[in-house]
Amino acid sequence: PIARASRGIMFGDFGQSSVVQPGQPVANLLWSRLPATLQLQVPALLLALMIGIPLGIYSAVKQYSRFDYTFTTAAFIGSSMPTFFFGLMFILFFSVLPSINQEQFPWLIALPPGLQQAVRPYTIAEWLPKIQPGSPIDLALHMIMPVTVLTIINIAFWSRFLRSSMLEVLRQDYVRTARAKGLEERMVINKHALRNALIPFITVLVLTIPALFAGAILTETVFAWPGMGRLFNDALQRADYNIALAFIYITTILTVFATLLGDILYAVVDPRIRYS
């Protein structure tokens, strides 16, 4: 057979898969897995932002309080434990053990342990009706555990980072001056301290852009989620270098774009920076 001429990676032609799906264009495989990854990453990102940012700010404002000690300990544990540990513990406590003990405790709910959707009708508890594969309820149930794991990891990291940034800003002279002028504490925190504390946080936040494409490799592998991360892991395990190199190439491009976007956002957050 005559070999097909490649248009080159600049045009999105990364060749064909040699092992994972022999003969299939790598670009098609990547884009077919992207929706599944976004299905996990977008909700986890939004939840982590809505929960992690307020927790980090409140912990910094209430430094050395009981809440601060409790939050710091929980965040330290959450950021120290590997992702696959949380994934396996969630499967054990919310899927395996409830399934084993449902005869003794029929009110227990056993969540699906993996995959994006079921392959046959199933029940999560004896007192609930059967769930059909591919239904909205089925898709939502399969998302609960992987999204929760990703959210916990992001909250633990982002909230600790923002807490440290807020503590550094709260010690600055302009914050003391704002308080000495008689401004309300809420105004001091929101207008003077938070806006400056967000500057280093933006650097971390924009790097979630390549993560949205790359997916959570360990989380998708543990939960058998058919996303980009699992595809990359399969490509590495089975030495499908065309897929692995294409994955790394696109992630690198997105990282450069995210860094540029972060530099632009600095001007929005920091009033001292202006681009002419």
Side-chain angles (χ1 to χ4, degrees), residues 17-30:
S17 171
S18 58
V19 181
V20 176
Q21 291 189 20
Q24 291 294 322
V26 172
N28 293 347
L29 293 178
L30 293 176

Side-chain angles (χ1 to χ4, degrees), residues 65-92:
S65 65
R66 182 176 300 179
F67 173 85
D68 183 41
Y69 284 122
T70 304
F71 162 77
T72 304
T73 303
F76 178 77
I77 295 174
S79 59
S80 300
M81 292 296 180
T83 306
F84 64 83
F85 173 81
F86 284 110
L88 293 175
M89 289 300 101
F90 270 63
I91 293 175
L92 176 63

Side-chain angles (χ1 to χ4, degrees), residues 43 57 81 173-174 202 207 209-210 216 245 275:
I57 296 172
M81 292 296 180
D173 292 337
Y174 60 85
I202 287 177
L207 292 179
I209 295 176
L245 292 175
Y275 296 124

Side-chain angles (χ1 to χ4, degrees), residues 214-235:
I217 298 175
L218 293 178
T219 302
E220 291 184 359
T221 302
V222 169
F223 290 101
W225 190 267
M228 299 288 294
R230 188 183 175 196
L231 177 64
F232 179 62
N233 182 68
D234 290 344

Side-chain angles (χ1 to χ4, degrees), residues 10-220:
M10 295 300 295
F11 295 93
D13 189 348
F14 301 101
Q16 298 178 348
S17 171
S18 58
V19 181
V20 176
Q21 291 189 20
Q24 291 294 322
V26 172
N28 293 347
L29 293 178
L30 293 176
W31 302 133
S32 66
R33 298 293 188 96
L34 184 58
T37 291
L38 295 179
Q39 187 179 345
L40 289 186
Q41 293 282 24
V42 173
L45 173 63
L46 295 178
L47 288 173
L49 288 175
M50 290 188 295
I51 299 173
I53 291 179
L55 283 178
I57 296 172
Y58 189 78
S59 180
V61 174
K62 301 294 183 180
Q63 188 182 17
Y64 302 131
S65 65
R66 182 176 300 179
F67 173 85
D68 183 41
Y69 284 122
T70 304
F71 162 77
T72 304
T73 303
F76 178 77
I77 295 174
S79 59
S80 300
M81 292 296 180
T83 306
F84 64 83
F85 173 81
F86 284 110
L88 293 175
M89 289 300 101
F90 270 63
I91 293 175
L92 176 63
F93 287 109
F94 298 105
S95 181
V96 177
L97 293 181
S99 298
I100 296 174
N101 297 311
Q102 272 187 347
E103 292 185 1
Q104 186 177 1
F105 304 101
W107 48 269
L108 288 176
I109 295 177
L111 295 175
L115 299 178
Q116 187 181 18
Q117 64 182 35
V119 295
R120 63 178 64 90
Y122 65 99
T123 57
I124 58 176
E126 294 182 0
W127 51 278
L128 292 174
K130 280 192 175 183
I131 299 172
Q132 298 300 319
S135 63
I137 297 178
D138 177 45
L139 297 177
L141 289 173
H142 280 81
M143 287 177 57
I144 290 177
M145 287 198 290
V147 168
T148 303
V149 169
L150 292 175
T151 303
I152 290 174
I153 298 298
N154 288 333
I155 288 176
F157 177 72
W158 290 349
S159 57
R160 288 186 65 203
F161 189 91
L162 187 57
R163 176 184 179 274
S164 300
S165 182
M166 279 290 294
L167 288 176
E168 183 178 352
V169 170
L170 290 174
R171 300 189 185 100
Q172 300 298 320
D173 292 337
Y174 60 85
V175 175
R176 297 193 187 99
T177 302
R179 286 171 172 162
K181 290 166 61 177
L183 293 178
E184 294 183 1
E185 186 67 15
R186 180 180 299 179
M187 180 69 70
V188 173
I189 298 300
N190 294 335
K191 186 174 181 180
H192 295 273
L194 178 59
R195 187 170 182 180
N196 289 278
L198 287 176
I199 296 174
F201 181 71
I202 287 177
T203 305
V204 180
L205 184 60
V206 294
L207 292 179
T208 58
I209 295 176
L212 289 176
F213 170 85
I217 298 175
L218 293 178
T219 302
E220 291 184 359

